[in-house]
Coordinates of all heavy atoms in Angstrom, one line a residue:
G105 N 0.8 -1.2 0.0 CA 0.0 0.0 0.0 C 0.8 1.3 0.0 O 0.6 2.2 -0.7
Y106 N 1.9 1.3 0.8 CA 2.8 2.4 0.8 C 3.4 2.6 -0.6 O 3.5 3.8 -1.0 CB 3.9 2.2 1.8 CG 4.9 3.3 1.9 CD1 4.8 4.4 2.8 CD2 6.1 3.3 1.1 CE1 5.7 5.4 2.8 CE2 7.0 4.3 1.2 CZ 6.8 5.4 2.0 OH 7.7 6.4 2.1
V107 N 3.9 1.5 -1.2 CA 4.5 1.6 -2.5 C 3.5 2.1 -3.6 O 3.8 3.0 -4.4 CB 5.1 0.3 -2.9 CG1 5.5 0.3 -4.4 CG2 6.3 -0.1 -2.1
Y108 N 2.3 1.6 -3.5 CA 1.2 2.1 -4.5 C 1.0 3.6 -4.3 O 0.8 4.3 -5.3 CB -0.1 1.3 -4.3 CG 0.0 -0.1 -4.8 CD1 -0.6 -1.2 -4.1 CD2 0.6 -0.5 -6.0 CE1 -0.6 -2.5 -4.5 CE2 0.6 -1.8 -6.4 CZ 0.0 -2.8 -5.7 OH 0.1 -4.1 -6.1
Q109 N 0.9 4.0 -3.1 CA 0.6 5.4 -2.8 C 1.7 6.3 -3.4 O 1.5 7.4 -3.9 CB 0.3 5.7 -1.4 CG -1.0 5.1 -0.9 CD -1.1 5.1 0.6 OE1 -0.4 5.8 1.3 NE2 -2.0 4.3 1.2
A110 N 3.0 5.8 -3.2 CA 4.1 6.6 -3.7 C 4.2 6.6 -5.2 O 4.4 7.6 -5.8 CB 5.4 6.0 -3.1
M111 N 3.9 5.4 -5.8 CA 4.0 5.3 -7.3 C 2.9 6.1 -8.0 O 3.1 6.7 -9.0 CB 3.9 3.8 -7.7 CG 5.0 3.0 -7.3 SD 6.6 3.5 -8.0 CE 7.3 4.4 -6.6
F112 N 1.7 6.1 -7.4 CA 0.5 6.7 -8.1 C 0.3 8.2 -7.5 O -0.6 8.9 -8.0 CB -0.8 5.9 -7.9 CG -0.7 4.6 -8.5 CD1 -0.8 3.4 -7.8 CD2 -0.5 4.5 -9.9 CE1 -0.8 2.2 -8.4 CE2 -0.5 3.3 -10.5 CZ -0.6 2.1 -9.8
K113 N 1.1 8.5 -6.5 CA 1.0 9.9 -5.9 C -0.5 10.1 -5.5 O -1.1 11.2 -5.7 CB 1.5 11.0 -6.8 CG 2.9 10.8 -7.2 CD 3.4 12.0 -8.1 CE 4.9 11.9 -8.4 NZ 5.2 10.7 -9.1
N114 N -1.1 9.1 -4.9 CA -2.5 9.1 -4.6 C -2.7 8.6 -3.2 O -2.3 7.4 -2.9 CB -3.3 8.2 -5.6 CG -4.8 8.3 -5.4 OD1 -5.3 8.5 -4.3 ND2 -5.5 8.3 -6.5
I115 N -3.2 9.4 -2.3 CA -3.3 9.0 -0.9 C -4.4 7.9 -0.7 O -4.4 7.3 0.4 CB -3.7 10.2 0.0 CG1 -5.1 10.7 -0.3 CG2 -2.7 11.2 -0.1 CD1 -5.6 11.7 0.7
L116 N -5.2 7.5 -1.7 CA -6.2 6.5 -1.5 C -5.8 5.2 -2.3 O -6.5 4.3 -2.4 CB -7.5 7.0 -2.1 CG -8.2 8.1 -1.3 CD1 -9.5 8.5 -1.9 CD2 -8.3 7.8 0.2
A117 N -4.5 5.2 -2.8 CA -4.1 4.0 -3.5 C -3.9 2.9 -2.5 O -3.4 3.1 -1.4 CB -2.7 4.3 -4.2
S118 N -4.3 1.7 -3.0 CA -4.2 0.5 -2.1 C -4.1 -0.7 -3.1 O -4.2 -0.6 -4.3 CB -5.4 0.4 -1.2 OG -6.5 0.1 -2.0
P119 N -3.9 -1.9 -2.5 CA -3.8 -3.1 -3.4 C -5.1 -3.3 -4.3 O -5.0 -4.1 -5.2 CB -3.6 -4.2 -2.4 CG -2.9 -3.6 -1.3 CD -3.4 -2.2 -1.1
D120 N -6.2 -2.7 -3.9 CA -7.4 -2.8 -4.7 C -7.3 -1.9 -6.0 O -8.1 -2.2 -6.9 CB -8.6 -2.4 -3.9 CG -8.8 -3.3 -2.7 OD1 -8.1 -4.3 -2.6 OD2 -9.5 -2.8 -1.8
L121 N -6.5 -0.9 -6.0 CA -6.6 0.1 -7.0 C -6.3 -0.4 -8.4 O -7.0 0.1 -9.3 CB -5.5 1.2 -6.6 CG -5.6 2.5 -7.6 CD1 -6.9 3.2 -7.3 CD2 -4.4 3.4 -7.3
I122 N -5.4 -1.2 -8.6 CA -5.1 -1.7 -10.0 C -5.6 -3.1 -10.3 O -5.1 -3.7 -11.2 CB -3.6 -1.5 -10.3 CG1 -2.8 -2.3 -9.3 CG2 -3.2 -0.1 -10.3 CD1 -1.3 -2.3 -9.6
G123 N -6.6 -3.5 -9.5 CA -7.3 -4.7 -9.9 C -6.8 -6.0 -9.3 O -7.3 -7.1 -9.6
V124 N -5.7 -6.0 -8.4 CA -5.2 -7.2 -7.9 C -6.2 -8.0 -7.0 O -6.3 -9.2 -7.1 CB -3.9 -7.0 -7.1 CG1 -4.1 -6.0 -6.0 CG2 -3.3 -8.3 -6.6
A125 N -6.9 -7.3 -6.2 CA -7.9 -7.9 -5.4 C -9.0 -8.6 -6.2 O -9.4 -9.7 -6.0 CB -8.5 -6.9 -4.4
S126 N -9.6 -7.8 -7.2 CA -10.6 -8.3 -8.0 C -10.1 -9.5 -8.9 O -10.9 -10.5 -9.1 CB -11.2 -7.2 -9.0 OG -11.7 -6.2 -8.2
G127 N -8.9 -9.4 -9.4 CA -8.3 -10.5 -10.1 C -8.2 -11.8 -9.3 O -8.5 -12.9 -9.8
A128 N -7.7 -11.6 -8.1 CA -7.6 -12.8 -7.2 C -8.9 -13.4 -6.9 O -9.1 -14.6 -6.8 CB -6.8 -12.4 -5.9
N129 N -9.9 -12.5 -6.7 CA -11.3 -13.0 -6.4 C -11.8 -13.7 -7.6 O -12.5 -14.8 -7.4 CB -12.2 -11.8 -6.0 CG -13.4 -12.2 -5.2 OD1 -13.4 -13.3 -4.7 ND2 -14.4 -11.3 -5.2
A130 N -11.6 -13.2 -8.8 CA -12.0 -13.9 -10.0 C -11.3 -15.3 -10.1 O -12.0 -16.3 -10.5 CB -11.8 -13.1 -11.2
G131 N -10.0 -15.3 -9.8 CA -9.3 -16.6 -9.9 C -9.9 -17.6 -8.9 O -10.0 -18.8 -9.3
V132 N -10.2 -17.2 -7.7 CA -10.8 -18.1 -6.7 C -12.2 -18.6 -7.2 O -12.5 -19.8 -7.1 CB -11.0 -17.4 -5.4 CG1 -11.8 -18.2 -4.4 CG2 -9.6 -17.2 -4.8
A133 N -13.0 -17.7 -7.8 CA -14.3 -18.1 -8.3 C -14.2 -19.1 -9.4 O -14.9 -20.1 -9.5 CB -15.0 -16.9 -8.9
V134 N -13.2 -19.0 -10.3 CA -12.9 -20.0 -11.3 C -12.5 -21.3 -10.7 O -13.0 -22.4 -11.1 CB -11.8 -19.5 -12.3 CG1 -11.4 -20.6 -13.3 CG2 -12.3 -18.3 -13.1
A135 N -11.7 -21.2 -9.7 CA -11.2 -22.5 -9.1 C -12.3 -23.2 -8.4 O -12.4 -24.5 -8.5 CB -10.1 -22.2 -8.1
I136 N -13.2 -22.5 -7.7 CA -14.3 -23.1 -7.0 C -15.4 -23.6 -7.9 O -15.9 -24.7 -7.7 CB -14.8 -22.2 -5.9 CG1 -13.7 -21.9 -4.8 CG2 -16.1 -22.7 -5.2 CD1 -14.1 -20.9 -3.8
V137 N -15.8 -22.8 -8.8 CA -17.0 -23.1 -9.6 C -16.7 -24.0 -10.8 O -17.4 -25.0 -11.1 CB -17.7 -21.8 -10.1 CG1 -18.9 -22.1 -11.0 CG2 -18.1 -21.0 -8.9
L138 N -15.5 -23.7 -11.5 CA -15.2 -24.4 -12.7 C -14.2 -25.6 -12.5 O -14.2 -26.5 -13.3 CB -14.7 -23.5 -13.8 CG -15.7 -22.4 -14.2 CD1 -15.1 -21.5 -15.3 CD2 -17.0 -22.9 -14.7
A139 N -13.4 -25.4 -11.5 CA -12.4 -26.5 -11.2 C -12.9 -27.2 -9.9 O -14.0 -27.1 -9.5 CB -11.0 -25.9 -11.0
S140 N -12.0 -28.0 -9.4 CA -12.4 -28.8 -8.2 C -12.6 -28.0 -6.9 O -13.2 -28.4 -6.0 CB -11.5 -29.9 -8.0 OG -10.2 -29.4 -7.7
G141 N -11.9 -26.8 -6.9 CA -12.0 -26.0 -5.7 C -11.2 -26.6 -4.6 O -11.5 -26.3 -3.4
S142 N -10.1 -27.3 -4.9 CA -9.3 -28.0 -3.9 C -8.5 -27.0 -3.1 O -8.3 -25.8 -3.5 CB -8.4 -29.0 -4.5 OG -7.5 -28.4 -5.3
A143 N -8.0 -27.4 -2.0 CA -7.1 -26.6 -1.1 C -5.9 -26.2 -1.9 O -5.2 -25.1 -1.6 CB -6.7 -27.3 0.2
F144 N -5.5 -26.9 -2.9 CA -4.3 -26.6 -3.7 C -4.6 -25.6 -4.8 O -3.9 -24.6 -5.0 CB -3.7 -27.8 -4.3 CG -2.6 -27.5 -5.3 CD1 -1.3 -27.1 -4.9 CD2 -2.8 -27.7 -6.7 CE1 -0.3 -26.9 -5.8 CE2 -1.8 -27.4 -7.6 CZ -0.6 -27.0 -7.2
L145 N -5.7 -25.8 -5.5 CA -6.1 -25.0 -6.6 C -6.5 -23.6 -6.3 O -6.2 -22.6 -7.0 CB -7.2 -25.6 -7.5 CG -6.8 -26.8 -8.3 CD1 -8.0 -27.4 -9.0 CD2 -5.7 -26.4 -9.3
V146 N -7.2 -23.4 -5.2 CA -7.7 -22.1 -4.8 C -6.6 -21.0 -4.6 O -6.6 -20.0 -5.3 CB -8.6 -22.1 -3.5 CG1 -8.9 -20.7 -3.0 CG2 -9.9 -22.9 -3.8
P147 N -5.5 -21.3 -3.9 CA -4.5 -20.3 -3.8 C -3.7 -20.1 -5.1 O -3.3 -18.9 -5.4 CB -3.6 -20.8 -2.7 CG -3.9 -22.2 -2.5 CD -5.3 -22.4 -2.9
V148 N -3.6 -21.1 -5.9 CA -2.9 -21.0 -7.1 C -3.6 -20.1 -8.1 O -3.1 -19.2 -8.7 CB -2.6 -22.4 -7.8 CG1 -2.1 -22.3 -9.2 CG2 -1.6 -23.2 -6.9
F149 N -5.0 -20.4 -8.2 CA -5.8 -19.5 -9.1 C -5.9 -18.1 -8.5 O -6.0 -17.2 -9.3 CB -7.2 -20.2 -9.2 CG -7.3 -21.2 -10.3 CD1 -6.5 -22.4 -10.2 CD2 -8.1 -21.0 -11.4 CE1 -6.6 -23.3 -11.2 CE2 -8.1 -22.0 -12.4 CZ -7.4 -23.1 -12.3
A150 N -5.9 -17.9 -7.2 CA -6.0 -16.6 -6.7 C -4.7 -15.8 -7.0 O -4.8 -14.6 -7.5 CB -6.1 -16.6 -5.2
F151 N -3.6 -16.4 -6.9 CA -2.3 -15.8 -7.3 C -2.3 -15.4 -8.7 O -1.9 -14.3 -9.1 CB -1.1 -16.7 -6.9 CG 0.2 -16.1 -7.2 CD1 0.8 -15.2 -6.4 CD2 0.8 -16.4 -8.4 CE1 2.1 -14.6 -6.7 CE2 2.1 -15.9 -8.7 CZ 2.7 -15.0 -7.9

């Protein structure tokens, strides 16, 4: 968060700002709904 705020010169910058949170959430949704949703696949797809 500190780095994002410095890079974007924006006091509201956070890990959500450039889509990392939404992308990880989408990856988890794919793992759970379309794949087996195993304990191994969920973190891999989130990353």
Side-chain angles (χ1 to χ4, degrees):
Y106 178 89
V107 168
Y108 286 139
Q109 290 170 18
M111 292 299 98
F112 296 118
K113 299 180 176 66
N114 187 325
I115 66 171
L116 299 182
S118 69
D120 301 343
L121 183 69
I122 56 175
V124 59
S126 298
N129 202 16
V132 169
V134 170
I136 292 176
V137 178
L138 300 182
S140 63
S142 67
F144 171 76
L145 284 180
V146 168
V148 170
F149 274 64
F151 180 83

